[in-house]
Amino acid sequence: MSILIFSLILLVGAYAAGLLGSLTGLGGGVVVIPLLTLVFHVDIRYAIGAALLASIANSSGAATAYIKEGITNVRLGMFLEIATTAGAVGGALIAVFTPVNTIAILFGLVLIFSALMTIRKKNEHAEQTGSKWSYVLKLNSTYPTANGEVAYKLKNIGGGFSIMLLAGVLSGLLGIGSGALKVLAMDGAMRIPFKVSTTTSNFMIGVTAAASAVVYLQRGYIDPGIAFPVVLGVLGGAFTGARLLTIMNPRTLRIIFCIAISFVALEMIYNGFNHQF
Amino acid sequence: MKQLKNLMEDRDIALFIGRFLRVGVLTASAIALLGGFWYLVQSGAADMPDYSRFAGEGPGYTTFRGIFKGVAEGNATEIIQLGVLVLLATPIFRVFFSLLAFALEKDWLYVVITTIVLGIILFSMFGGLKI
């Protein structure tokens, strides 16, 4: 295959990944890794490098819209970034000592978990009693709804922080945004309404991914020939996806995609066990 | 009233940061597009490299010096890597701007928290993690 053909096919594939990632809420980076490894037989290390870049582009590109609506909790994001960046750097470090097949199996498991998370029942309840630390760290805030500003308070800061540490490690190890785990920490442990947790998680993904991407760049995981079609394609797809989301509610589509992506995840796990990577 | 004023400034800073992120991503994409186009014009007809075997990239793609040297010589692949650098720098600058914003608000707790985050990222950049 010539470089031109490879780049064009990859561009189209990355566009589809970005669109899919945006419609399902999984993020484009997560879909790019199976695309590169299973379809193009690219080494998973190059795939991880490219996926991290896609996550950063996605997260930073979407941040403007959310901040404008005043949903993102910037203080909470910054506080939790201590956990995610520390975890991400740690994850990127242990990645060298982790066999690629183990990484593929882990990736498949996280992908299935993420797919389940996107179709779960969402927490819309705003807590009115916060824990002691939520006051000390000034994390309680308000967010806009159809009925005006709603105040919410946070619980279990320590638990949320610990899950974020794990999310950071996985993000650094697998090259993904691990948005699903971030949302689990915020929705599940800290009891934040899902609109706030989803946007704050997106806000954090760029910084988390950048912390491990600088390690991967220096290790030579980021190849320009793969990087440019992936970044441009995923960004374009995510942009189209964001547009589509404003005019349609992809509930059914989301479930279908999540089932499809679970099969892809199973193939990653299967190949991982058979040492195909 | 003072609280309201603080809230307004808070929002202005947040909006500035949001806009900065978007400009950063668009700049990075534009550079990558330019480099990618040039790369395809120059070597589009050549056979694709074997990506199924991980070889790792050389210093030309992985160090500031290598990338800037390549850009100065007009090499397509290094121009793409420059776009990658801009993309990586965007969220790091975002953290830095947040640090300034918290300092302006005299929110010292969050100045410390943001400094820790920035410290971790800078550590991973310059901490000799190239094992």
Side-chain angles (χ1 to χ4, degrees):
Chain A
M1 203 189 301
S2 77
I3 288 180
L4 180 68
I5 304 289
F6 171 73
S7 303
L8 290 179
I9 298 177
L10 186 54
L11 189 70
V12 173
Y15 179 84
L19 186 64
L20 201 70
S22 152
L23 290 179
T24 50
L26 286 169
V30 159
V31 191
V32 150
I33 291 183
L35 175 77
L36 282 170
T37 54
L38 298 178
V39 180
F40 291 97
H41 302 288
V42 169
D43 187 282
I44 197 166
R45 281 162 285 197
Y46 287 131
I48 287 175
L52 273 173
L53 297 180
S55 303
I56 298 174
N58 251 348
S59 154
S60 304
T64 331
Y66 296 139
I67 295 171
K68 208 174 253 166
E69 289 164 28
I71 305 174
T72 306
N73 187 333
V74 178
R75 279 201 171 75
L76 176 66
M78 194 56 77
F79 169 65
L80 293 175
E81 269 166 15
I82 295 179
T84 59
T85 51
V89 175
L93 283 181
I94 54 175
V96 209
F97 307 108
T98 315
V100 281
N101 290 298
T102 311
I103 291 183
I105 294 166
L106 261 178
F107 178 84
L109 292 174
V110 171
L111 194 53
I112 292 175
F113 167 75
S114 305
L116 286 175
M117 280 292 290
T118 63
I119 48 178
R120 81 204 186 284
K121 194 169 170 293
K122 293 180 174 66
N123 171 36
E124 288 192 64
H125 179 69
E127 289 284 335
Q128 295 310 318
T129 50
S131 68
K132 187 185 146 221
W133 281 98
S134 73
Y135 290 99
V136 175
L137 293 165
K138 292 181 274 190
L139 298 176
N140 302 316
S141 184
T142 62
Y143 79 108
T145 65
N147 310 316
E149 291 279 316
V150 171
Y152 60 90
K153 297 200 165 57
L154 278 68
K155 288 190 183 301
N156 197 2
I157 310 291
F161 194 83
S162 315
I163 303 177
M164 283 295 173
L165 205 56
L166 179 67
V169 171
L170 286 177
S171 168
L173 190 60
L174 308 176
I176 54 177
S178 49
L181 258 174
K182 290 191 169 79
V183 173
L184 176 74
M186 288 190 266
D187 273 22
M190 301 159 107
R191 309 295 306 152
I192 304 171
F194 82 92
K195 269 200 172 154
V196 180
S197 62
T198 320
T199 50
T200 307
S201 147
N202 172 72
F203 186 64
M204 297 167 60
I205 285 172
V207 176
T208 311
S212 47
V214 290
V215 179
Y216 281 126
L217 176 73
Q218 295 181 34
R219 273 208 208 118
Y221 279 43
I222 296 175
D223 182 274
I226 301 174
F228 90 91
V230 165
V231 169
L232 296 174
V234 168
L235 205 56
F239 187 73
T240 313
R243 281 278 166 94
L244 282 177
L245 280 175
T246 58
I247 54 169
M248 65 179 206
N249 183 9
R251 170 96 191 128
T252 324
L253 209 62
R254 182 170 289 178
I255 293 173
I256 296 170
F257 282 154
C258 285
I259 293 169
I261 213 84
S262 300
F263 280 110
V264 173
L266 285 177
E267 190 169 351
M268 294 279 295
I269 296 172
Y270 179 80
N271 285 353
F273 275 115
N274 284 315
H275 297 276
Q276 301 272 311
F277 285 96
Chain B
M1 195 58 210
K2 188 164 174 278
Q3 226 173 1
L4 186 74
K5 192 167 160 272
N6 278 345
L7 201 70
M8 290 296 291
E9 281 173 358
D10 226 24
R11 213 177 141 70
D12 285 347
I13 293 167
L15 280 179
F16 167 75
I17 292 173
R19 244 178 252 130
F20 175 83
L21 287 174
R22 180 166 282 189
V23 170
V25 169
L26 289 179
T27 311
S29 312
I31 296 173
L33 183 66
L34 185 80
F37 184 73
W38 189 227
Y39 170 66
L40 291 183
V41 168
Q42 282 184 325
S43 34
D47 266 346
M48 64 176 277
D50 182 11
Y51 289 124
S52 64
R53 289 222 326 270
F54 181 74
E57 307 300 335
Y61 296 161
T62 57
T63 59
F64 276 117
R65 256 184 82 165
I67 293 174
F68 284 118
K69 188 167 164 279
V71 171
E73 288 166 3
N75 288 348
T77 43
E78 276 91 341
I79 296 176
I80 298 174
Q81 293 301 75
L82 180 68
V84 169
L85 280 187
V86 174
L87 189 64
L88 292 188
T90 304
I92 300 173
F93 272 106
R94 198 273 275 170
V95 178
F96 182 69
F97 283 133
S98 300
L99 180 69
L100 293 182
F102 286 128
L104 279 178
E105 285 177 34
K106 297 197 171 53
D107 188 341
W108 303 121
L109 174 65
Y110 273 86
V111 168
V112 172
I113 288 175
T114 312
T115 308
I116 296 174
V117 174
L118 202 58
I120 295 170
I121 297 175
L122 293 180
F123 168 78
S124 88
M125 272 174 81
F126 302 112
L129 295 184
K130 225 174 123 184
I131 301 172

